[in-house]
Amino acid sequence: MKGIIYAVLGGVFLTLQSTANAAIGDHLGSWQAAVLTQGTGFAAALLIVWLSGDRSWKKLSQVKLPYRFGGALAAFIIFSNITAFHQNGAAVTVSAVLIAQILATLGMEKAGWYGNAAIKLRTPQWIGIALMITGILCLSF
């Protein structure tokens, strides 16, 4: 249950952040908003790590090099979300982002990227994906 609560909070915070980023982007520009968001996020995360006394960051050398740059993807995520918010509005943007995340995750799981056996999508999963895409199309028009 704790994981579900964190997922819901993450979804709410992502929506709030996207809305704030779009407003910042209106005044400063999309890339500037990404810099501001990344900077404040870094500062907040660093403060939390420092206050918690967690020293696991010392194990950074155990993390594969490509994964160390995962945060850099956030700059493109923020830019994409700001641009999409301005062109599509909040509901369509958030819906499209969520469906893209689900499709990407399903593709990665299907390929066995997470070290588990590759999953096989059955008819109910494909129907669910089709219904989500139909929902976005309904929001768009």
Side-chain angles (χ1 to χ4, degrees):
M1 185 64 179
K2 190 175 180 180
I4 297 294
I5 292 169
Y6 279 123
V8 169
L9 287 173
V12 170
F13 292 146
L14 179 61
T15 302
L16 293 172
Q17 180 193 26
S18 297
T19 304
N21 289 342
I24 295 166
D26 282 341
H27 297 288
L28 301 179
S30 296
W31 286 110
Q32 292 82 350
V35 170
L36 181 63
T37 299
Q38 291 279 73
T40 57
F42 173 77
L46 189 62
L47 180 64
I48 291 167
V49 167
W50 179 70
L51 290 174
S52 71
D54 186 346
R55 301 287 180 241
S56 61
W57 58 269
K58 292 181 178 181
K59 299 177 188 174
L60 181 62
S61 63
Q62 298 174 5
V63 178
K64 292 179 182 178
L65 185 62
Y67 297 140
R68 295 183 201 177
F69 296 100
L73 296 173
F76 296 101
I77 294 166
I78 293 167
F79 174 80
S80 298
N81 277 338
I82 290 170
T83 304
F85 257 70
H86 289 153
Q87 295 179 3
N88 303 325
V92 172
T93 297
V94 171
S95 299
V97 165
L98 291 175
I99 289 174
Q101 284 180 302
I102 290 168
L103 291 174
T105 303
L106 284 173
M108 290 177 213
E109 285 187 349
K110 188 164 177 45
W113 281 19
Y114 298 112
N116 299 326
I119 64 167
K120 181 176 170 140
L121 295 176
R122 297 181 314 272
T123 303
Q125 285 90 14
W126 288 112
I127 292 171
I129 292 167
L131 287 171
M132 288 187 293
I133 293 170
T134 302
I136 283 198
L137 293 174
C138 290
L139 285 172
S140 300
F141 301 107

